[in-house]
Structures are given as structure tokens and as C-alpha cells.
Amino acid sequence: SRTFHGNNRLLTSQIVSYYESINQCKKELPEYFNFASDVLDEWARLEKDGKKTANPAFWWINEGGEEVKWSFEELGSLSKKTANVLSEACGLQRGDRVIAVLPRVPEWWLLSVACMRAGIVFIPGTSQLTAKDISYRLQASKAKCIITSDTLAPAVESVLPGSQFLKSKLIVGQGSRDGWLDLKELL
């Protein structure tokens, strides 16, 4: 197996053996599983304790060479803050649905982990969705929050008057818009 930055075979074999022991009924299947707290936070703890080599949990580079690199601890901390933004500023609760119409920017992954952490249903949407597509998804999902970039916001705004379930609008990016919460500012 190929590894990313160093040899993680020991850790990988530990994870595989753990799941094999669950499949063979040697270990209890956890009643509740949360990737953010059960995996991400555990890897951050192992790195902090020196039991796991420090590797990036997230590494993103765009066409212009801009780079974002987060350790497991940083991704965990940022996802906790983002989960708080979704819960407090956006007023979302466990089981609520969020639609994200975003290009593949770092915040896309941050929001997906934050939603896992908070028990919020993350509905990803490509930046190629039309206004009709967005409107359908808003109504069918009964999403209470929509998240988009400053450049895609005008297309999203065109369908918002018909969305009866929407409670909050969150913007990701450099700009801000009237009536939208700004993720960067709230973090």
C-alpha cells in the first residue's frame, strides 16, 4: 500500500484489525459513531502525544499556487468552531439539513467535517447547479441553511424567495453580502 508522507502502515493495520474485530463480533459495534470526534480528534491526540507522525490532515493547492495545509489538530479545532457557527449563528440543530453550493475550496471540507461533528446533514452541490436545480434541492430537502461563495451568491439569491424552510444564509469567500452571514468573520 502506498502511504502519504511517511510510513503509516502500523496505524493502518491497527485500524483494519479494529474493524475486522468488529466484523468478527470480537468487539462491540459502537452505538454512535462520529467521524470527527472518533477519528479526527483521535488522530490529533495521537499526533500531540507523539504516537503518530505529524502529517497534514488536509492539504489544498489551487491553480494559482495558493496553499492551505491543516494538521489534524488544526482541522479538528477549525471544525469545532465551524460547528459552533452552524449551531449558534445559523440556529441549526442535529438532523437539520444544509445545502452547500460551493466550488472545491478548503471551506467545503471544513463544513463537511463540521456538519458531521454537529449531526447536521450536509448536502453538497456543485457550483454548476442552475437556479432551477438549487430551487428544487432547497424545497425537496427542506434545508434550513444554504452556504455558497460570494461569486455564486447572486444565482442562489434569485431562488431564495420561494424557499419556505430556509432560516439562514452563510457566505464563504472574500466578499460579503447584505443579509448573509460571513463564515470567515464568524470564525
Side-chain angles (χ1 to χ4, degrees):
S1 77
R2 287 180 59 207
T3 60
F4 185 74
H5 287 292
N7 188 347
N8 289 326
R9 290 176 194 224
L10 179 61
L11 186 59
T12 303
S13 67
Q14 289 170 337
I15 292 169
V16 169
S17 66
Y18 178 77
Y19 287 108
E20 284 175 354
S21 65
I22 289 174
N23 285 335
Q24 296 169 3
C25 299
K26 293 178 183 174
K27 283 194 180 206
E28 285 284 319
L29 184 63
E31 184 176 352
Y32 300 101
F33 174 79
N34 185 304
F35 175 81
S37 57
D38 294 336
V39 176
L40 181 64
D41 292 350
E42 178 64 13
W43 281 36
R45 186 188 64 74
L46 289 172
E47 274 188 359
K48 191 174 183 179
D49 294 347
K51 295 179 182 175
K52 180 185 174 310
T53 307
N55 285 319
F58 179 80
W59 194 348
W60 175 88
I61 303 172
N62 71 5
E63 308 82 36
E66 181 186 356
E67 182 176 289
V68 174
K69 193 186 296 188
W70 293 322
S71 68
F72 285 95
E73 188 174 358
E74 290 169 323
L75 181 56
S77 175
L78 284 169
S79 69
K80 287 174 186 172
K81 289 178 182 180
T82 305
N84 286 337
V85 167
L86 294 172
S87 298
E88 294 169 13
C90 296
L92 301 174
Q93 299 174 359
R94 180 175 294 282
D96 285 345
R97 294 170 194 93
V98 168
I99 294 181
V101 182
L102 290 168
R104 295 305 182 245
V105 292
E107 291 84 359
W108 189 94
W109 282 275
L110 181 59
L111 286 157
S112 68
V113 173
C115 285
M116 287 179 219
R117 187 176 292 285
I120 296 168
V121 180
F122 182 74
I123 304 169
T126 174
S127 56
Q128 296 174 337
L129 292 175
T130 66
K132 184 178 177 182
D133 297 329
I134 295 167
S135 178
Y136 171 77
R137 283 165 173 76
L138 280 168
Q139 296 312 312
S141 69
K142 299 178 182 173
K144 292 188 178 179
C145 179
I146 191 156
I147 305 166
T148 195
S149 67
D150 47 353
T151 56
L152 297 172
V156 170
E157 283 179 332
S158 71
V159 300
L160 294 183
S163 180
Q164 59 200 27
F165 304 101
L166 203 61
K167 289 170 48 174
S168 57
K169 304 175 293 186
L170 191 62
I171 199 153
V172 171
Q174 303 302 320
S176 62
R177 291 186 82 76
D178 287 339
W180 289 75
L181 299 170
D182 185 329
L183 179 63
K184 193 175 278 187
E185 184 180 295
L186 291 168
L187 287 176

